[in-house]
Amino acid sequence: EKGGYDHFMLKEIYEQPSAISDTYRGRIRVAEGIIKMAGIDDNLAKLLNAKRIIVIACGTSWHAGLVAEYIFEELVRIPVEVEYASEFRYRNPVIHQDDVVIAISQSGETADTMAAIKLAKERGAFVFGVCNVVGSSISRETHAGAYTHAGPEIGVASTKAFTTQITVLSLIALKLAERKGTISNSDFHYYLQELERVPEKVKIALESNEHIKLIADKYKDAKNFLYLGRGYNFPVALEGALKLKEISYIHAEGYPAAEMKHGPIALIDEQMPVVVIATKKGHYDKVVSNIQEIKSRKGKIIGIVTEGDETVKGLADHVIEIPETIEFLTPLLTTIPLQLLSYHIAVMLDKNVDQPRNLAKSVTVE
Ligand code: F6R
């Protein structure tokens, strides 16, 4: 049932082109410029009038929420807060009637996320769910929702759930932005076209697998890793570090690249691999100067770059290329090499990739 792959995680990484297209298929008509999502269409006024969006989630789903924060604020111009469900629920949060809560959960069973939803509902917020498991507890508890059609995710480390969550959240943002008039009609059409090209580009990103394996082999014995990104790719850095931690048991941290100089740069020496997401557009020049700072402290740099990049190639020890896309969709591509890198390191270290120690696929206790 692993479809010829050694592990569910690898199978699920490779399923992402089809999982992403399954998530938007039936919901978008690119030629006509239409996004149809029942959960959104039926609650359009509520969503458009939201003064604030509060995203609640845990783990990888929380990282998808962070990506959504950047997307919503840019496209829809509604302020977004992203909260760990476990913190939100115990903090007597300020919630207003015109707040919209978006709860993100692959399993739809996470205890903290569930409790946070109940609290938000009690205080009068409208709660929208983004779940993968159809009929799950969270999908039933929320007022409305949209499923990620990722199919079953068996590997404990979340992969295709993350990219399909970002896909659904992008669709929602695009739909609201179009209705609110916060993006132009031509941009709206162009963005939809670009979204439709993502699965092909994910396939191309997956072609770096053998190259990534060589990099994994070189750094598998490192004791620590740093992951850096800015803007839309800051949450991807967090997610890359989480993937490595949970399946290889190597300590890793994700940071916004510019925060380096406020502390973590002290960690850098010739033993420290630093994965830097340095795609074109997203503050590229700033990231290049961050790379120079690491290089001058002899850190080993693994750059995730846009196809054809020369500048980072000249500075980094290794580069992994991804195809070009519009900025807010880059997380769907930059995530892929990070998933593969942690997968190969874990396999080389002989770890139980699909069922890492101490972890469960759904965390139904707080
Ligand atoms: C990481 C991972 C966990 C989950 C988290 C939330 O790979 O799988 O961090 O993302 O436990 O789970 P869901 O999305 O099911 O609520």
Side-chain angles (χ1 to χ4, degrees), residues 153-164:
E153 191 181 63
I154 311 290
V156 164
S158 190
T159 53
K160 62 178 181 170
F162 178 68
T163 45
T164 55

Side-chain angles (χ1 to χ4, degrees), residues 270-302:
E270 56 286 342
Q271 309 297 323
M272 180 69 94
V274 187
V275 179
V276 190
I277 304 159
T279 45
K280 289 269 164 65
K281 294 179 191 152
H283 318 289
Y284 178 73
D285 296 335
K286 305 259 182 218
V287 178
V288 169
S289 30
N290 298 137
I291 289 175
Q292 272 152 343
E293 292 157 11
I294 301 160
K295 198 176 162 66
S296 63
R297 278 123 189 132
K298 303 197 168 56
K300 297 284 180 287
I301 298 154
I302 303 163

